[in-house]
Amino acid sequence: MTENCIELVDLTKKYGSFTAVDHLNLTIKKGEIFGLLGPNGAGKSTAILMMLGLTEPTSGSVRVCGIDSTRQPIEVKRKVGYLPEDVGFYDNRNGLENLIFTAQLNRMSAREAAQKAEQLLNRVGLSGEAKKKVGKYSRGMRQRLGLADVLIKNPEIIILDEPTLGIDPTGVRDFLELIVRLSREEGLTVLFSSHHLHQVQKVCDRVGLFVNDRLLAEGNIQTLSEKLFHNSPFIVEVGIAGAFRKKYTPDRLNKILKGIDGIIAVRTTDELIQIECSGDVTPDIARAVVESGAGLNYLNKKEYGLDDIYYHYFEGGKDHE
Ligand code: ADP
Ligand code: MG
């Protein structure tokens, strides 16, 4: 049986009367790469802080590697590598020195620390920059150093808060590929937060969509769109040739389509008829229109996908209760 690495049950955080995280239920399995996705202010960082035992939940429970993070925060920190949004490094020291420092804080001997630091710099592709002062690192290099830094204590899980923020597109790709490689090669469980749907869906096994303190849906992108648009996952667009439009009024078309099971709503625009359906009834619609004699000249089935999720929940910024 697969082990659950992170288990959140009704996890809730309130700041006074303001709810930052509202009854979050989530399970992440060993070896999984999970993307906690949501616009700014959704509550991602707050949820992460509770997983780490860095802030107390108002109610609900959080277990990481079987440990109650709220009651045993120190135990949890031994198992989890955490990369906050802004990693603090000594800017006037080089990458190698910074890693050695962390390794020694983790009680390694000087020799062990140096070995481990070099090995990890190599692992994250920073060997060439080992002697460069961290103050001169680009944001992408800094994040890779951050990854090396959290790997020093051989964590079982790594939690990264907006790790790709401020990195250029090539750097983002490299960084995400590095995460996938690490996870696959070392069986690491990864949770990272992001407000970039497109980045997340490239590398995550599963994503959870977090909006306005709530988890709206989780799964892979395919199931996510099915869950979010479950009431009307399909829209069939039908075009009627100009010569027929006068005779085939919206009312008449409505009647023609009426008998088809699965049609939720019919909208008519100047150009097209848009039919919202609960299932794929495209053949039935086509047949009904053709048989009515209404000069069908266009038919398009639109399935909700990534772009729709993106628009509705990120760009649209609507309140989805
Ligand atoms: P995200 O990481 O998804 O951008 P956060 O978890 O940082 O979101 O914040 C969620 C909400 O909680 C925001 O509206 C934020 O202003 C609020 N919040 C976060 N931390 C505190 C705090 N310490 N006190 C009061 N409100 C907070
Ligand atoms: Mg945040």
Side-chain angles (χ1 to χ4, degrees), residues 158-170:
I158 54 174
I159 295 183
L160 318 169
D161 200 356
E162 301 265 5
T164 59
L165 210 67
I167 309 182
D168 62 83
T170 321

Side-chain angles (χ1 to χ4, degrees), residues 267-287:
R267 283 187 298 272
T268 317
T269 67
D270 285 349
E271 297 300 317
L272 289 169
I273 307 156
Q274 288 193 323
I275 307 160
E276 261 186 51
C277 322
S278 60
D280 185 3
V281 289
T282 316
D284 301 319
I285 291 173
R287 195 177 315 114

